[in-house]
Amino acid sequence: MRNYRAGVRRRTALRAAWAVAAMTALVATAPAAGAAPAASAAAGTAVANDAADDVAAQVDGYLAEYIRVHRAPGVALVTLADGDVRVRVHGVTGDGDPVGEDTPMRIGSMSKAFTALAVLQQADAGRFDLDDPVAEVLPEFRMADDRYRQITVEDLLDHRSGLAVTALEYSSDPASAPATTVVRLADEDLAADPGTTAMYSNAGYTVLARLVEHTSGMGFGEYLEQRVFAPLGMDSSTATELCDAPSPGLARGFSGLGPLLVAVPELPQGCAGNGGIVSTARDMTSWLRFQVGDGASPSGERLLDAETFRAFHDVPADAAEYGYGWHRTTTEDETAPLIGHGGTLATFASGIEFSPVTGTGAVVLSNAAGEPMALTHNAVVAVDGGTPRSTSNPFDPFNAVVLGIAALVLLAGVVVVVRSRTWAVRRAAGAPRWRVLRLVPLAVLTVLGALLPWLGAQLMGLAEPVAAYRVVLWLYPAVVLLGLAIFLAAGGGLTARLVRLRTATAQKATVRRAPAPHR
């Protein structure tokens, strides 16, 4: 068993400030006994302040590195240590306004923990047990696969329902309400037996949102506002059913290619229960404080029973490492258990990570793609101890390779066009069928270029053409540019050869029909 309290030198140094304060108070009320105690207290305070300054400098460095690597237009970082909160903000919104503590941003899949909390509240209220079959609690839930009757509420919470990762994902006509998602699942099959295999499912959490609606008699967004946001003082937070739905004060996020980022609408998706919450750094501070507390609101209202609250954070240490809306994020180097969750949309990225043992935590909100969980992790281990994660942007080498290939393809296309006249003159004398066969490769490449985004989307399990092109354009624009380069190069070469071949063939026919000269 790992000793969670061992090796926390940074934390010990920070807590020394509180100890020194107490010692100073004792010295102040004790009989004067010389200057030595006062000098010792002052020295201790200086050491604690130096340690706190060192941690703050590290976190500042991690934030600066994140901004540099991911070129984040706007970021808010919340850190919580020993009950003290610090909010760091950077950059601008899609409207050009400075990012602040009250700037709304989408939190993506961090929303799942809110859904899990709502489900646990309903379980605490006796509406159902977590091991109850969903179909018994929510009669409208059914699927084409009879195994759906075995799916329990807990199976949905920990992604072991058997629902495929791609179930109802990235639809060209996304569901606008949890009830719609449940109806559409009636035509779906399961990818695994319920309760056996961990497969991350956004649709599963939307079913949970509908479950809460059914048992509470309230809309899911309304439920969150009254039973979660209001008690926690999250007055600026809202829940949307579509990822691109408008929300008060919410500016567009950013998407693009490399350093070229522009404010664009969010990718249309169904987000109810799985990723639709819009929040602010100030509100997420309240959420973070709640997570490291005892399950009660600032006013003392219990949102969860004590036992249920402990279960809320009890993430299994198995291969899936997923519990009720939380991932296990602890590695071998951490001195305390860590849990958290990231949130990734096309134009926003977020992350939360904290230790239920030490009370240290961090939240990141950003209005562009990135790796916020690396930043939250580094902010936490700067206090609690552990190995920081490297900050990298895997899209940079990917984009460089893809765009390099696109440049070579365009160059090859130019060469084909330039040499098309020579090619046509040589082929004009041959049989027509051989001319056609020699044009087939360029025709195939032209079609491949047009279909490349769709073919790439097939790897993500997306079959709908409209959804496929839309998703690839938003998430992988370099692939779209590569497809365009192939289409233009091959299509341009094919067109040039056809035109030149037609001209050369006509000229040759004219020469053949010309009368022989008289002698």
Side-chain angles (χ1 to χ4, degrees):
M1 179 68 69
R2 184 184 293 111
N3 181 359
Y4 292 136
R5 295 294 183 182
V8 290
R9 296 177 180 175
R10 287 187 179 86
R11 174 165 293 282
T12 301
L14 288 173
R15 285 177 173 162
W18 297 101
V20 167
M23 182 176 67
T24 303
L26 288 174
V27 169
T29 58
S40 176
T45 300
V47 171
N49 289 340
D50 288 344
D53 290 343
D54 179 59
V55 168
Q58 288 186 55
V59 175
D60 288 342
Y62 292 139
L63 176 58
E65 182 69 2
Y66 181 90
I67 293 169
R68 183 189 67 80
V69 170
H70 294 288
R71 308 175 187 89
V75 181
L77 169 62
V78 178
T79 55
L80 172 63
D82 290 316
D84 295 328
V85 170
R86 178 171 177 180
V87 179
R88 297 167 171 85
V89 294
H90 159 81
V92 297
T93 70
D95 291 337
D97 299 322
V99 171
E101 290 185 51
D102 297 310
T103 298
M105 295 194 198
R106 291 196 172 276
I107 69 171
S109 286
M110 277 206 296
S111 304
K112 289 182 172 66
F114 289 85
T115 302
L117 172 61
V119 171
L120 294 176
Q121 286 178 325
Q122 290 295 288
D124 274 353
R127 303 289 192 274
F128 51 76
D129 293 328
L130 296 186
D131 58 358
D132 284 345
V134 176
E136 292 184 5
V137 184
L138 185 64
E140 67 197 70
F141 173 66
R142 51 187 180 274
M143 299 181 66
D145 191 324
D146 283 341
R147 292 176 295 175
Y148 83 92
R149 302 179 189 276
Q150 305 169 26
I151 300 174
T152 66
V153 177
E154 187 170 42
D155 288 336
L156 291 176
L157 282 171
D158 60 16
H159 294 301
R160 295 180 186 275
S161 66
L163 283 168
V165 175
T166 55
L168 304 184
E169 282 289 280
Y170 300 114
S171 170
S172 58
D173 179 25
S176 59
T180 306
T181 294
V182 172
V183 169
R184 292 182 179 182
L185 283 173
D187 298 324
E188 297 288 323
D189 290 318
L190 292 176
D193 289 333
T196 62
T197 307
M199 289 185 291
Y200 194 87
S201 172
N202 283 323
Y205 265 72
T206 302
V207 174
L208 288 173
R210 177 57 186 153
L211 185 71
V212 171
E213 290 184 335
H214 178 73
T215 58
S216 69
M218 305 168 63
F220 187 66
E222 179 187 6
Y223 182 94
L224 289 181
E225 289 177 8
Q226 293 187 20
R227 304 289 179 85
V228 179
F229 298 154
L232 295 179
M234 301 176 66
D235 299 330
S236 298
S237 297
T238 59
T240 64
E241 294 181 338
L242 292 172
C243 293
D244 61 330
S247 182
L250 177 66
R252 289 179 174 181
F254 290 82
S255 185
L257 189 61
L260 180 60
L261 294 173
V262 294
V264 297
E266 177 54 44
L267 180 65
Q269 301 178 66
C271 277
N274 68 68
I277 290 178
V278 177
S279 192
T280 66
R282 189 184 304 277
D283 280 7
M284 290 306 295
T285 299
S286 300
W287 178 245
L288 183 58
R289 284 191 182 277
F290 171 70
Q291 299 307 323
V292 300
D294 60 358
S297 70
S299 65
E301 175 188 353
R302 292 211 64 84
L303 272 65
L304 288 176
D305 292 343
E307 183 177 354
T308 306
F309 187 69
R310 287 192 294 271
F312 187 30
H313 294 154
D314 185 16
V315 182
D318 56 17
E321 296 192 331
Y322 197 95
Y324 301 158
W326 300 111
H327 288 284
R328 177 180 291 273
T329 58
T330 311
T331 68
E332 291 300 321
D333 295 323
E334 272 72 76
T335 57
L338 299 175
I339 62 175
H341 209 297
T344 301
L345 295 171
T347 60
F348 290 92
S350 64
I352 180 172
E353 188 166 5
F354 60 92
S355 170
V357 173
T358 67
T360 304
V363 174
V364 171
L365 303 178
S366 177
N367 57 7
E371 193 182 8
M373 289 300 288
L375 180 53
T376 58
H377 181 82
N378 292 344
V380 171
V381 300
V383 178
D384 282 354
T387 302
R389 295 179 185 173
S390 61
T391 302
S392 62
N393 188 342
F395 281 102
D396 279 351
F398 173 80
N399 289 336
V401 170
V402 173
L403 293 179
I405 295 174
L408 292 176
V409 167
L410 288 174
L411 180 61
V414 171
V415 172
V416 171
V417 171
V418 170
R419 299 182 61 182
S420 61
R421 182 176 183 279
T422 303
W423 180 92
V425 170
R426 291 178 179 176
R427 302 304 184 274
R433 66 177 181 274
W434 291 113
R435 300 174 199 162
V436 173
L437 288 176
R438 290 181 179 278
L439 292 172
V440 167
L442 286 178
V444 171
L445 286 174
T446 302
V447 175
L448 175 63
L451 294 180
L452 185 63
W454 179 76
L455 294 173
Q458 297 303 296
L459 301 177
M460 301 169 61
L462 304 180
E464 295 185 36
V466 173
Y469 281 90
R470 190 165 59 192
V471 168
V472 175
L473 176 61
W474 253 275
L475 302 182
Y476 305 99
V479 174
V480 176
L481 291 178
L482 175 59
L484 182 62
I486 295 173
F487 178 81
L488 292 176
L494 178 63
T495 302
R497 284 186 174 183
L498 284 171
V499 171
R500 293 291 189 181
L501 184 61
R502 181 179 179 180
T503 301
T505 303
Q507 290 175 346
K508 191 170 185 63
T510 301
V511 170
R512 287 177 179 175
R513 290 195 300 269
H518 296 285
R519 295 189 179 182

